Amino acid sequence: MTKMLVGKVTDIDVKGSRKLQVGDKEIALFKLTSGEVLAVENKCPHKGGVLSEGMVCGSKVHCPLHDWRIDLHSGDVQAPDTGHVTTYEVEVDPDSGHIYLTM
Amino acid sequence: MSAARKKLILVGNGMAGVRAIEHLLKLAPEAYEITIFGSEPHPNYNRIMLSSVLAGGAAMEDIIINDLEWYKSNNINLYTGHTVTSIDTEQRKVTTDKGIEAHYDELVLATGSDPFMLPLPGADKEGVIAFRDIKDCEIMQETSKTHKKALVIGGGLLGLEAARGLLHLGMEVSVVHIHDYIMERQLDEAAAVMLRKELEAQGMKFLLKKQSEAILGKKRVKGLLFADGTVEDTDLIVMAVGIKPNVALARKSGIEVNRGIVVSDYMETNIPGIYAVGECAEHRGIAYGLVAPLYEQGAVLAKKLAGVPTEGYAGSVTSTKLKVSGVDVFSAGRFTEQPGSRSLRYQDEIEGVYKKLVIEDDKLVGAVLFGDTGDGAHLFSMIKNGERIKGKEKELLLGISSDALGASKGNRLEGMADDEIICGCNGVSKGAIAEAIQSGGCTSVGQIKACTKASASCGGCKPLVEGLLQMYAGDNVVTVKEGICGCTTLGRDEIVAEIKRMELKTVKEVMNVLEWSNEEGCPKCRPSLNYYLGMLWPEEYIDEKESRYTNERYHANIQKDGTYSVVPRIYGGVTSPAELIKIAEVAVKFDVPLVKFTGGQRLDLLGVKKEDLPKMWEELDMPSGHAYGKTLRTVKTCVGSTFCRFGTQDAMGMGIRLEKAFERLNAPGKVKLAVSGCPRNCAEATIKDFGVVAIDGGWELHVGGNGGVHVRATDLLCVVKTDDEVLEWASAFLQYYRENAGWNERTAQWVERVGLDSIKQALEDPQERLALVERIQTALSVTTDPWKEIVNTPDLRKNFEQITQPATETV
Ligand SMILES: Cc1cc2nc3c(=O)[nH]c(=O)nc-3n(C[C@H](O)[C@H](O)[C@H](O)COP(=O)(O)OP(=O)(O)OC[C@H]3O[C@@H](n4cnc5c(N)ncnc54)[C@H](O)[C@@H]3O)c2cc1C
Ligand code: SF4
Ligand code: FES
């Protein structure tokens, strides 16, 4: 397990996202309206849509390709579709605003 | 049968009485031992459909509602061909003309009406009939085999249906009417005249303002003599001048009778244990002559008999439809003007469409539709609900054309509230049908009919039922679609109205105030709210990027592999060698894997990595076309008079001017334009949202075209002379579209939905047109070049870049 500093909360817009390449994995970081930052594998379980380009509604992201809905906390695809994306642990240092990703 | 059951007798085996019994059997199947007496020799049948039988749309056996088997399986003692001749209200028993006696605990009178026969000398001759039951129908069919000419006295609903039937049977038919126009009880003169013309075109003749005086002939009818001395030869006379409640039995038995048998809100007569329902009953002074109110009465009576609490019957607003093929007539509520009411009319002689709405206290109280009755059910429900329509008058009047109803029935049906009645005859709501499809598993109109009774009577609502079936069973969705998306039950118009009324200024505010069920909405409502807010408050509203689709958020077109494409704007499709060189250099520099001409005459650089987008835009130093957005895309042009030997006008110049004028315009859907230099139309302007075709000395302006999945050719909006006028009309049209279409609704769908005429009308008035032009200019004046903005703003630019590889690693 590696915990790494990947940026600052201000790097991501609210309801926005940023991409991050770690080794051969592409990670998408999202910032919710609440300020919470979440990380998932940037690949839709359906046909590999780039999730970071999707629209964020509440704590779910809608895949830009065919509108599958994925819960960013659990990584679960929402009904009626099924599937799962890997989620990663994220910590935000409240003082410095640094984002740490563990994977 | 158990002796404990109470005895219930129904007199009259018709539509209202048996309907009440059906209800009762559902509510309290064990409560009564039921006996039914009916004068007619048939089981219960659908009287309404006699018109269809006559007109060839149905066979006699199709119109049976409950066959003998039904009576048997429900343990009902049925006596057909028995007329009840007396009621002993003391002993509680009835006697029939065949000498049968039966006791009752509760008695229901549902004796219907008698046709009113004009007391003319000779009215008893052979060949003079009414139009009321199967027997009358059979006489008409028989007569048509041996005779030629028929006269129908009475130009009301029933008379016209009889006449249509006789025409179908091959007879020559004239309708005699005392009034100077037909259907005066349902229609105003304008609609009546249109109807008459339509029926004349079908072969019907009319003798208006004619007072019948005597029926001529020896044994059989030979002719009809009028008060003005003229005579009309005929072999058959059908009297359809009205009905009167059949109250003879009740009167004789000491039951209170006025015009009909007087009943309370619970269908009780003045004699305990005796009820009346249907056409024979008079409730609050009204005896109804249509099925829908009688069914409502039946439902109340059934509850009363079953001991189920009910609010009672409060009277009905009625609506009428003429069931004559090829003619659509609808009327509902009170359609005449009275002091305190006003009316709105719309008349299109060419299309044969007429609409009239009568409004009182900002509420709709009556409506007449001719030629296009698609809105009937909707208007009728508004009349019944008494909802306020202030501000919506024009929309209601111009409504939805029947074309649009055919093409985008889904839209209309989707927007319909759940409790809106689809089948007026049987009072079946949209919700009930939806449920039958979704939970009941109905997959055909027949099954829905069996399950809910929708379209089981006059059948006028069948197209709507079919539409619902398509909508709900088409993809087996379980959720009932309402509103613009799953987050709200509100439709587009309601939302826009609320935004205006409450001056809501952000997406979040709208969702809060209008009680969205998903706090942050979904990709359907968010972009639409973002659009509506921007359209309504162009100068104040700050566009919400996060509420736009990917393409519009990143200002490039996302491809299936997650790469993007860049389409430099080339106004009017006219470029220069220098511009081409620049595009080529950028393509080479960024290793663009594919360069392609688009359908709209632009160059598409495909396969660009997101990170490269800002740099490419920077190097190109030209706006990228909005090749993906709900906005003006391209203006396609031909060479026009500049080079072409046929061209009469400068198509390229006009195209460039239009593209520059409307660049960056936000719209409900994508907008494509084209300009052709002559009617050869090489730029294919007649399948664009706005198409301009040069003619000698002017321009033709076309609207509502689409070359997409549903190809639609444009409609001609108007012809103008000058280039400035082209701009003016294009501006006005686009703004009117922006203000009135639903988000994601292309002009083609929109034009079909609202009808070209309503758009023409809105743009015709020069003042209105200029106001629209002004508003679009305001909207355009605040747009900015998003590419430049991104290139110059690091905070926006960062979103295109990856977060850099983590620098520090800790364990
Ligand atoms: C050709 C035609 C077309 C119509 N089209 C429409 C339409 O499009 N829409 C609409 O809403 N309505 C329409 N109507 C009207 C509609 O059919 C009536 O409103 C409805 O049938 C009335 O129902 P009811 O039960 O009150 O009377 P009925 O259906 O007439 O039933 C009464 C029954 O009682 C029987 N009866 C009477 N007295 C006795 C007695 N003493 N003993 C035993 N039996 C007795 C009669 O024989 C009759 O069968 C149409 C009617 C006709 C004739
Ligand atoms: S539309 Fe007319 S002017 Fe334009 S290229 Fe074709 S023929 Fe020439
Ligand atoms: S790839 Fe994500 S929904 Fe299809």
Short mmCIF file of all heavy atoms in Angstrom, two decimals, chain B residues 618-635:
data_model
loop_
_atom_site.label_atom_id
_atom_site.label_comp_id
_atom_site.label_asym_id
_atom_site.label_seq_id
_atom_site.Cartn_x
_atom_site.Cartn_y
_atom_site.Cartn_z
N GLU B 618 -4.79 27.14 -29.12
CA GLU B 618 -3.89 28.27 -29.05
C GLU B 618 -3.15 28.45 -30.39
O GLU B 618 -3.08 29.54 -30.93
CB GLU B 618 -2.87 28.02 -27.91
CG GLU B 618 -2.29 29.25 -27.31
CD GLU B 618 -1.55 28.92 -26.00
OE1 GLU B 618 -1.30 27.70 -25.72
OE2 GLU B 618 -1.24 29.85 -25.27
N GLU B 619 -2.64 27.35 -30.89
CA GLU B 619 -1.88 27.43 -32.14
C GLU B 619 -2.75 27.75 -33.34
O GLU B 619 -2.35 28.47 -34.25
CB GLU B 619 -1.16 26.11 -32.39
CG GLU B 619 -0.21 25.76 -31.27
CD GLU B 619 1.21 25.58 -31.75
OE1 GLU B 619 1.40 25.39 -32.97
OE2 GLU B 619 2.11 25.62 -30.90
N LEU B 620 -3.96 27.18 -33.32
CA LEU B 620 -4.87 27.45 -34.43
C LEU B 620 -5.24 28.92 -34.46
O LEU B 620 -5.41 29.53 -35.51
CB LEU B 620 -6.16 26.64 -34.29
CG LEU B 620 -6.15 25.20 -34.82
CD1 LEU B 620 -7.40 24.49 -34.36
CD2 LEU B 620 -6.06 25.19 -36.34
N ASP B 621 -5.41 29.46 -33.26
CA ASP B 621 -5.84 30.84 -33.11
C ASP B 621 -7.09 31.14 -33.94
O ASP B 621 -7.21 32.18 -34.56
CB ASP B 621 -4.69 31.79 -33.49
CG ASP B 621 -5.00 33.21 -33.04
OD1 ASP B 621 -5.76 33.35 -32.05
OD2 ASP B 621 -4.51 34.16 -33.69
N MET B 622 -7.96 30.15 -34.02
CA MET B 622 -9.28 30.43 -34.60
C MET B 622 -10.30 29.74 -33.70
O MET B 622 -9.97 28.76 -33.03
CB MET B 622 -9.40 29.93 -36.05
CG MET B 622 -8.70 28.63 -36.36
SD MET B 622 -8.51 28.27 -38.13
CE MET B 622 -10.13 28.19 -38.77
N PRO B 623 -11.51 30.30 -33.65
CA PRO B 623 -12.49 29.62 -32.81
C PRO B 623 -12.69 28.21 -33.33
O PRO B 623 -12.57 27.96 -34.52
CB PRO B 623 -13.76 30.45 -32.97
CG PRO B 623 -13.50 31.46 -34.01
CD PRO B 623 -12.06 31.42 -34.39
N SER B 624 -12.96 27.32 -32.41
CA SER B 624 -13.27 25.97 -32.84
C SER B 624 -14.77 25.98 -33.07
O SER B 624 -15.50 26.62 -32.32
CB SER B 624 -12.89 25.01 -31.72
OG SER B 624 -12.80 23.71 -32.19
N GLY B 625 -15.24 25.33 -34.10
CA GLY B 625 -16.69 25.36 -34.34
C GLY B 625 -17.39 24.64 -33.22
O GLY B 625 -16.82 23.76 -32.60
N HIS B 626 -18.61 25.01 -32.93
CA HIS B 626 -19.36 24.25 -31.92
C HIS B 626 -19.92 23.03 -32.63
O HIS B 626 -21.10 22.94 -32.88
CB HIS B 626 -20.52 25.06 -31.35
CG HIS B 626 -20.10 26.19 -30.47
ND1 HIS B 626 -19.66 27.39 -30.95
CD2 HIS B 626 -20.06 26.28 -29.12
CE1 HIS B 626 -19.39 28.20 -29.92
NE2 HIS B 626 -19.61 27.55 -28.82
N ALA B 627 -19.05 22.08 -32.93
CA ALA B 627 -19.49 20.97 -33.77
C ALA B 627 -20.24 19.93 -32.98
O ALA B 627 -20.54 18.87 -33.46
CB ALA B 627 -18.28 20.34 -34.44
N TYR B 628 -20.54 20.21 -31.74
CA TYR B 628 -21.09 19.18 -30.85
C TYR B 628 -22.23 19.71 -30.01
O TYR B 628 -22.93 18.95 -29.39
CB TYR B 628 -19.97 18.75 -29.89
CG TYR B 628 -19.34 19.98 -29.34
CD1 TYR B 628 -19.98 20.66 -28.32
CD2 TYR B 628 -18.22 20.56 -29.94
CE1 TYR B 628 -19.51 21.88 -27.91
CE2 TYR B 628 -17.75 21.76 -29.51
CZ TYR B 628 -18.40 22.42 -28.49
OH TYR B 628 -17.97 23.62 -28.09
N GLY B 629 -22.41 21.01 -29.91
CA GLY B 629 -23.27 21.56 -28.86
C GLY B 629 -24.70 21.79 -29.29
O GLY B 629 -25.07 21.64 -30.44
N LYS B 630 -25.50 22.17 -28.29
CA LYS B 630 -26.85 22.61 -28.57
C LYS B 630 -26.75 24.10 -28.84
O LYS B 630 -26.96 24.92 -27.97
CB LYS B 630 -27.76 22.30 -27.39
CG LYS B 630 -27.85 20.79 -27.16
CD LYS B 630 -28.86 20.45 -26.14
CE LYS B 630 -28.76 18.97 -25.78
NZ LYS B 630 -28.83 18.07 -26.94
N THR B 631 -26.45 24.40 -30.05
CA THR B 631 -26.06 25.75 -30.43
C THR B 631 -25.98 25.79 -31.95
O THR B 631 -26.18 24.77 -32.59
CB THR B 631 -24.68 26.07 -29.81
OG1 THR B 631 -24.21 27.29 -30.35
CG2 THR B 631 -23.67 24.99 -30.12
N LEU B 632 -25.69 26.94 -32.50
CA LEU B 632 -25.52 26.99 -33.95
C LEU B 632 -24.30 26.16 -34.33
O LEU B 632 -23.21 26.37 -33.79
CB LEU B 632 -25.29 28.42 -34.45
CG LEU B 632 -24.97 28.45 -35.95
CD1 LEU B 632 -26.22 28.35 -36.78
CD2 LEU B 632 -24.15 29.65 -36.33
N ARG B 633 -24.47 25.23 -35.21
CA ARG B 633 -23.33 24.43 -35.64
C ARG B 633 -22.72 25.06 -36.89
O ARG B 633 -21.79 25.84 -36.80
CB ARG B 633 -23.78 23.00 -35.87
CG ARG B 633 -24.28 22.39 -34.58
CD ARG B 633 -23.83 21.00 -34.42
NE ARG B 633 -24.18 20.50 -33.11
CZ ARG B 633 -24.34 19.21 -32.85
NH1 ARG B 633 -24.20 18.30 -33.80
NH2 ARG B 633 -24.62 18.82 -31.63
N THR B 634 -23.29 24.74 -38.04
CA THR B 634 -22.68 25.28 -39.26
C THR B 634 -23.74 25.90 -40.15
O THR B 634 -24.92 25.60 -40.03
CB THR B 634 -22.01 24.17 -40.07
OG1 THR B 634 -22.97 23.13 -40.29
CG2 THR B 634 -20.81 23.60 -39.35
N VAL B 635 -23.29 26.77 -41.02
CA VAL B 635 -24.16 27.25 -42.08
C VAL B 635 -23.55 26.76 -43.39
O VAL B 635 -22.47 27.18 -43.79
CB VAL B 635 -24.26 28.79 -42.09
CG1 VAL B 635 -25.22 29.24 -43.19
CG2 VAL B 635 -24.71 29.31 -40.73
#
